[in-house]
């Protein structure tokens, strides 16, 4: 993959133009404090349903049973009170605060009066749902210290939810459809591209209902888009119609190889069977073309609103229509529409060396972040890295998220950039994501830019993050090319013991220098993760782990990657792309991939050793480019398959690689053939490769059932293969805050 990405950034807190993104800015209108509760009775009733059905605590632990909180926040609170009590007084003269934002400011006031304190400052948030009016913004002046960090945690075992949405009210049932134009009396109406019904995502109507349409004719860009990108193509039959209602609100999701462009329709020339788009693809590279046969979907067609669970927001009238699923009734169903693009912003300023630091978040759920299609659409070269995030950290240091959840997002869940360091995300659930999971790197802030920046200043470098024991799942629901964990131009990060699954592109992506130029992505550790159900036949050129650029000290070890399936080419387990150099990949179990357990496009001196590769469909191991240096060392690996696909696919014309001490076995009884139709002996004699390798059954216990333990008499042991306990891969703690959620629906059935 080849692309050049650009940088744009959210303004740091010290910048006069800094403003968190709410998703619906209304200049000149006063905004209530963050987290202010809805006053209408209907909204209160909806909130009660929400809390009772989904977030009821199994039994609250009194705050006194833990470290005493300095400030308490509760749905029954008031920001004019002291926050020292966990419930209102009988005469309503004092009690808890109403918003987390006010609690943060209150702690800053208390700290100013007691600056020598050596114990944590604690905000306890009681259970319930807090409907945020604005993102929570934490500035450098709100920071804690190493001895006295600021801790924002759930009260006892209660489950507070900080929501960027609003309950939808005022439903009228019309011929089985639910309709409302009364969204929120305080905020009015706003564009709706996502809807969550009883805590489950719903989708806008799309065509076709099953499968895809295909581009009928490739067309050059219109004159105004020449040398900028592609913006039109020819379609077939009635796949696209000029007489659709609200035509310019209809979006096309057009699939490239490893990315997809979501672009609104500008106009339809029905007589020519030609559609012109409001925006264009990013750049004019060959892979951005709308080639004949490329797949696409038509989304948000009013006339296609036919299936239970679909919704349509009529922008000109402000009317929302929902087709209920069986058993859903307006009085017992909570419908939430996201309104805020960001829920929490840690807004430091690396250039001024003003950091947001020493803050801990524990037991909190962040939910319902907004995303709507920009006027010119969304088209990112790779991994959707320009998207914003529900939680954004800039110049954020020593921040901890522990036993938190981020769910029902419009874009990424979390992002840390521009001088962020030493942050930890542990025991968290990132669940049902419009985009991806976590971004770590130097690409700017909201909205995150298309360009990567290799920082040359010490303070601007993003580094030293830990993501451990997390579940990052059910992603790409709006932005299919987003990834589970993305690390760009950032060193010394540890990604370990996570479960990452149900994405349409790549699981973990590390590096982001194309070729052999300067890179800050070094000494990263990707270990003991379980990454599976990736690709799902939607995109191509992807993998369980994807790397690019020079990365000395980076290690990918003791992971399990399985069920990696691309649409066309690609679908690898371990994928070293575009100049990947000095990376060690060892003790990984990789099985059920489409195109190969391991593939190197091009790179230098990578070490692939002591791995198990099993059951790839089309090739077992692939190599693409020949170069004037050693590409990799492939040693002490076991390669096992049961079909007629070749052992070594693609390009093995030179000998600038080293294969040795490997065990190869085709369990289907087919001969193991090397490039050029050579036997192992001929391969050794002619190419001087695999001098100590063997063709033999490695002696797995039961590979068909996923048991890849070796029997004591395995010939692999005699060659130096060192058994590793792959059962240790994956999350070691159980999800708590998402344990009761219904299954997340897929973007593609």
């Amino acid at each position: 993959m080849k692309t050049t990405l650009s940088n744009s950034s959210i303004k740091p807190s010290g910048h006069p133009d800094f403003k968190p993104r709410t998703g619906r800015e209304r200049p000149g209108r006063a905004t209530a404090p963050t987290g202010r509760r809805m006053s209408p009775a209907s909204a209160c009733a909806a909130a009660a349903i929400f809390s009772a059905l989904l977030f009821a605590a199994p039994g609250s632990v009194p705050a006194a049973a833990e470290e005493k909180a300095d400030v308490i926040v509760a749905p029954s609170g008031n920001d004019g009170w002291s926050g020292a009590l966990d419930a209102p007084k009988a005469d309503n003269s004092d009690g808890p605060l109403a918003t987390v934002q006010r609690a943060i400011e209150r702690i800053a006031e208390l700290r100013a009066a007691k600056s020598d304190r050596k114990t944590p400052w604690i905000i306890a948030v009681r259970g319930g749902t807090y409907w945020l009016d604005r993102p929570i913004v934490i500035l450098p002046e709100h920071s804690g210290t190493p001895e006295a960090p600021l801790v924002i945690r759930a009260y006892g075992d209660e489950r507070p939810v900080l929501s960027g949405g609003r309950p939808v009210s005022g439903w009228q049932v019309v011929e089985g459809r639910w309709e409302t134009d009364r969204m929120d009396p305080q905020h009015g109406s706003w564009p709706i591209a996502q809807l969550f019904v009883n805590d489950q995502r719903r989708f806008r109507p799309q065509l076709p209902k099953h499968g895809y349409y295909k581009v009928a004719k490739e067309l050059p860009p219109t004159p105004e888009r020449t040398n900028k990108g592609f913006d039109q193509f020819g379609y077939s039959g009635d796949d696209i119609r000029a007489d659709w209602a609200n035509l310019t609100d209809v979006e096309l999701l057009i699939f490239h190889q490893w990315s997809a462009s979501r672009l609104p329709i500008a106009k339809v020339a029905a007589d020519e069977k030609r559609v012109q788009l409001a925006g264009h693809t990013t750049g004019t590279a060959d892979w951005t073309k709308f080639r004949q046969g490329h797949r696409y979907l038509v989304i948000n067609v009013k006339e296609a609103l036919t299936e239970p669970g679909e919704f349509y927001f009529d922008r000109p009238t402000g009317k929302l229509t929902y087709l209920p699923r069986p058993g859903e009734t307006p009085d017992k169903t909570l419908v939430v529409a996201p309104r805020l693009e960001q829920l929490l912003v840690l807004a430091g300023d690396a250039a001024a060396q003003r950091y947001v630091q020493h803050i801990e978040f524990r037991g909190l759920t962040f939910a319902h972040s907004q995303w709507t299609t920009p006027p010119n659409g969304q088209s990112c070269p790779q991994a959707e890295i320009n998207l914003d995030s529900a939680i954004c950290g800039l110049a954020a240091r020593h921040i901890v998220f522990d036993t938190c959840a981020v769910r029902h997002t419009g874009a990424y869940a979390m992002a840390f950039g521009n001088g962020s360091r030493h942050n930890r995300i542990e025991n968290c659930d990132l669940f049902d994501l419009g985009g991806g999971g976590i971004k770590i790197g130097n690409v700017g802030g909201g909205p995150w830019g298309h360009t990567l920046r290799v920082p040359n200043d010490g303070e601007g470098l993003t580094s030293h993050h830990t993501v451990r024991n997390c579940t990052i799942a059910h992603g790409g629901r709006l932005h299919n090319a987003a990834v589970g964990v993305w690390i760009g131009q950032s060193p010394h990060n540890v990604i370990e013991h996570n479960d990452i699954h149900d994405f349409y592109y790549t699981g973990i992506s590390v590096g982001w220098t194309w070729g052999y130029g300067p890179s800050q992505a070094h000494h990263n550790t990707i270990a003991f993760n379980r990454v599976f159900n990736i690709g799902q036949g939607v995109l191509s050129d992807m993998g369980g782990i994807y790397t690019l650029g020079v990365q000395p000290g980076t290690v990918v070890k003791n992971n399990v990657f399985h069920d990696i399936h691309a649409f066309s080419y690609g679908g690898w387990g371990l994928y070293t792309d575009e100049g990947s150099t000095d990376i060690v990949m060892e003790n990984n179990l990789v099985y059920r991939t489409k195109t190969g357990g391991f593939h190197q496009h091009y790179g230098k001196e990578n070490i692939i050793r002591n791995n198990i590769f099993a059951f790839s469909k089309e090739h077992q191991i692939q190599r693409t480019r020949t170069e004037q240096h050693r590409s990799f060392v492939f040693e002490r690996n076991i390669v096992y398959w049961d079909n007629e696909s070749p052992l070594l696919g693609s390009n093995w014309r030179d000998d600038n690689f080293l294969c040795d001490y490997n065990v190869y076995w085709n369990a289907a009884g087919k001969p193991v053939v090397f490039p050029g139709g050579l036997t192992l002996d001929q391969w050794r004699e002619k190419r001087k490769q695999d001098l100590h390798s063997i063709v033999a059954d490695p002696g797995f216990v039961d590979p068909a059932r996923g048991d890849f333990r070796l029997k004591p008499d395995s010939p692999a042991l005699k060659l130096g293969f060192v058994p590793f306990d792959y059962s240790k891969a994956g999350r070691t703690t159980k999800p708590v805050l998402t344990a009761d959620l219904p299954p997340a629906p897929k973007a593609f059935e």
Side-chain angles (χ1 to χ4, degrees), residues 20 29 44 62 66 81 88 118 161 212 268 320 334 351 374 450 464 472 512 542 569 651 665 681 697 713 715 718:
R29 177 170 179 166
C44 290
E66 304 176 335
W81 290 340
K118 302 299 182 183
V161 180
Y212 303 89
V268 176
L320 176 66
L334 176 67
H450 282 291
H464 294 87
I472 305 172
W512 289 64
M542 35 70 63
Y569 75 99
N651 176 11
W665 186 246
D681 288 340
D697 188 337
D713 60 349
K718 298 177 182 179

Side-chain angles (χ1 to χ4, degrees), residues 263-274:
L263 303 171
I265 290 178
K267 58 184 178 182
V268 176
D271 54 338
E272 305 174 40
K273 300 292 184 183
R274 176 176 61 87

Side-chain angles (χ1 to χ4, degrees), residues 132-167:
L132 303 178
D133 286 340
R134 301 185 65 188
I136 299 168
V137 177
I138 302 183
L139 304 174
E141 52 264 35
H142 300 136
S143 295
T145 66
E147 300 81 9
L150 171 60
V151 179
I152 307 174
R153 61 163 171 82
Y155 178 100
D157 287 340
E158 296 184 9
R159 297 188 181 185
V161 180
L162 304 169
S163 172
R166 278 292 190 278

Side-chain angles (χ1 to χ4, degrees), residues 480-516:
N480 320 117
V483 303
V485 176
W486 179 88
I487 299 174
Q489 300 298 342
S490 177
H492 299 291
N493 301 291
V494 176
I495 313 299
E496 66 180 9
H497 282 294
N498 302 290
D499 285 338
I500 301 172
H501 61 96
D502 191 9
F503 282 83
Y504 301 113
Y505 178 46
T506 283
I508 302 172
S509 183
V510 186
W512 289 64
T513 290
W514 277 255
Y516 301 108

